[in-house]
Amino acid sequence: MSTKSRIVRTLAVLAGASMALTACGGGGTADSSSGAKDGGTVTYWSMWKVGEAQQKVLASAIADFEKETGNKVDVQWQGRTNTKKIIPALNTNNVPDIIDGSNANLDIALGSTGQALPMTDAYNTEIDGKKLSELIPAKFAAVSNIKGKDGQPWMVPYSLTSDGIWFNAEKSPDLVTNPPASWDDFISLLDKEKAAGQTPIAADGDIAGYNAYWFVSSLIHSEGPGSFNKIATDKTGASWDSPAVLDAAKKVQQLVDGKYLIDGYNASKWPAQQQAWATGGADLLFNGSWIPTETGTYAAPGFKYASFAFPSVASQPSMARADFTGFAIPKNAKNPAIAQKLAAFLMNKKNQDDMGTVAKVLPVRADAAISPELTAVKKNIDDAKEIYLGNDGVSAPGYLEKNFNPTDDLLFLGKIDAGEFVSKMKAETIAYWKAQG
């Protein structure tokens, strides 16, 4: 999956009427009384391409589904354009029965436009002795974008991405047991590394979404989930005047002024600086949970991936970012009952374990196995009292791409200071919402 496409956006959700489903235990499939009759065929458009780790896991699971249920799956491994392709297809007969994608992309294609069926049937299906709804952590379901206003889910998430500040545990074993607990502790760590002649932080400055991690995380970890969304959606721009907003911007400026960032980050081309980090050119990298897989082919011999959570800023409850990839069913699917059955089946323990250990991504089920590299990230999610979406759920069309990201880049690249950033973003936000009418 391209790194740029991982820059997380958010979803809005739809409400829908639920259908009845009779479910059975065992291998995680519903019995024939559900309407998903044996011998039926379901069409699945997948975001994965042949040969990718997730594709291999899903292909194996689909083979198990076909063998166990007698249903057939016509799967098309379309890649990341699948959610774009479905939008013009919605008014034709060429609509899949089930599709997967990131929460943001599925929302754009189906969720916020009222084109998705509720997935209540799948959630009511018994998997490994429990309803699927019991196997998805409640704090995930509590994220407003997973369920509609009436509580009906329109998506079944099967994996997620998060973030962390990555390091080589072989080189810095003390950070495994004693990570910085506060922003001041974090700066002290950076100062210690500089004093020892080491480069503290690597960053590819041409990836706007990565640059934005620092300001958005600082604000959320200070003011809580929803704080960035609040300032982005305040049409008056007044929320940008909050002292907490300026303080978050000053933390980004502190990284720049303190020269904690790797030389050349402000003129780099991805993935030059993350490659430099993986080969020992810098100690820390604030990035997504995909980093061990993405950098594994060129990491220094003996590199031991580990991470710690973004440090607490203002005594907020523990929190973690989680962005979901999952299944949705178009409203005009021809075989929705089989599609619901397939979505539920693919959430059984074996398949979720394979997502964690073979595909090496974060599975949704809390009881699923994971690869060792992701232990700290998973623990942070498990321990978190609150979950927030990438970019705090900001989904106003074009706001991030055209307004926030370019201005935040100026701050992170050292071209404007914190005060100028806040002033400029206030004006940008007012202008954006005025243009919306």
Side-chain angles (χ1 to χ4, degrees):
M1 185 173 189
S2 77
T3 300
K4 290 187 179 180
S5 70
R6 296 181 189 277
I7 299 169
V8 187
R9 298 188 186 110
T10 185
L11 358 134
V13 290
L14 86 106
S18 64
M19 302 175 291
L21 175 69
T22 302
C24 67
T29 62
D31 65 26
S32 60
S33 64
S34 69
K37 295 181 179 179
D38 291 346
T41 299
V42 63
T43 302
Y44 168 27
W45 287 7
S46 177
M47 67 177 286
W48 306 111
K49 294 181 179 179
V50 172
E52 291 185 294
Q54 291 93 329
Q55 182 270 335
K56 293 178 180 178
V57 169
L58 288 168
S60 176
I62 287 168
D64 291 342
F65 173 79
E66 292 180 326
K67 181 178 180 180
E68 185 166 328
T69 68
N71 293 302
K72 298 297 182 183
V73 181
D74 177 10
V75 58
Q76 299 176 27
W77 307 106
Q78 295 189 353
R80 311 307 181 265
T81 60
N82 68 331
T83 50
K84 293 182 180 179
K85 290 178 180 178
I86 198 173
I87 296 174
L90 291 172
N91 294 321
T92 72
N93 291 323
N94 184 31
V95 178
D97 297 304
I98 189 168
I99 185 171
D100 65 0
S102 68
N103 48 13
N105 288 339
L106 284 177
D107 173 61
I108 293 170
L110 299 172
S112 63
T113 60
Q115 293 295 322
L117 285 176
M119 299 287 280
T120 317
D121 295 15
Y123 277 82
N124 285 336
T125 300
E126 194 170 290
I127 305 292
D128 303 320
K130 293 184 178 181
K131 284 186 177 182
L132 176 58
S133 59
E134 299 176 75
L135 297 172
I136 297 175
K139 59 191 169 190
F140 294 167
V143 176
S144 62
N145 307 78
I146 297 303
K147 290 185 177 182
K149 293 180 181 179
D150 65 351
Q152 301 298 322
W154 63 267
M155 177 178 132
V156 172
Y158 64 80
S159 70
L160 61 92
T161 58
S162 188
D163 56 38
I165 298 179
W166 294 92
F167 62 95
N168 182 357
E170 186 68 25
K171 181 180 179 181
S172 305
D174 54 314
L175 288 179
V176 176
T177 55
N178 189 32
S182 68
W183 182 261
D184 288 342
D185 290 343
F186 180 61
I187 295 299
S188 294
L189 170 64
L190 303 185
D191 286 334
K192 180 181 178 181
E193 291 183 342
K194 276 187 64 178
Q198 300 167 342
T199 301
I201 303 172
D204 282 291
D206 64 324
I207 305 297
Y210 291 173
N211 300 343
Y213 281 2
W214 292 99
F215 172 79
V216 173
S217 298
S218 294
L219 182 61
I220 292 174
H221 282 256
S222 171
E223 299 299 294
S227 53
F228 178 59
N229 199 303
K230 177 183 176 181
I231 62 175
T233 56
D234 181 355
K235 297 180 180 181
T236 71
S239 295
W240 283 95
D241 294 328
S242 166
V245 174
L246 179 60
D247 184 68
K250 285 183 175 179
K251 285 179 168 54
V252 180
Q253 184 180 342
Q254 187 176 13
L255 298 178
V256 177
D257 292 347
K259 300 189 183 303
Y260 298 123
L261 294 154
I262 191 170
D263 285 344
Y265 84 98
N266 53 357
S268 65
K269 296 295 181 183
W270 178 87
Q273 304 303 352
Q274 76 176 36
Q275 287 178 336
W277 168 78
T279 54
D283 287 342
L284 305 173
L285 178 71
F286 187 20
N287 214 298
S289 52
W290 53 84
I291 278 297
T293 299
E294 193 165 274
T295 64
T297 57
Y298 51 75
F303 195 105
K304 187 176 180 181
Y305 289 91
S307 65
F308 57 84
F310 191 90
S312 173
V313 175
S315 301
Q316 284 287 329
S318 60
M319 62 186 75
R321 194 194 101 203
D323 291 297
F324 304 100
T325 295
F327 302 109
I329 297 175
K331 195 173 182 179
N332 51 347
K334 297 181 181 65
N335 297 293
I338 302 176
Q340 299 263 2
K341 191 173 184 179
L342 175 64
F345 181 93
L346 295 176
M347 290 296 291
N348 69 36
K349 182 70 161 56
K350 178 184 181 298
N351 301 330
Q352 282 281 283
D353 283 348
D354 286 348
M355 276 290 168
T357 60
V358 178
K360 295 186 176 182
V361 296
L362 289 163
V364 164
R365 283 179 57 157
D367 62 348
I370 60 166
S371 62
E373 303 96 310
L374 297 177
T375 299
V377 179
K378 185 177 188 301
K379 186 178 187 305
N380 184 40
I381 293 170
D382 289 345
D383 293 346
K385 296 187 183 302
E386 294 186 89
I387 298 296
Y388 63 92
L389 296 171
N391 288 319
D392 204 23
V394 173
S395 60
Y399 179 84
L400 293 172
E401 297 84 352
K402 298 178 181 179
N403 299 89
F404 176 75
N405 284 347
T407 308
D408 178 75
D409 282 350
L410 295 176
L411 173 65
F412 187 73
L413 300 178
K415 297 180 179 180
I416 59 175
D417 64 23
E420 291 172 313
F421 166 77
V422 170
S423 177
K424 184 171 175 57
M425 274 313 308
K426 179 178 180 179
E428 289 275 354
T429 301
I430 294 171
Y432 171 85
W433 288 109
K434 184 177 181 180
Q436 302 310 302

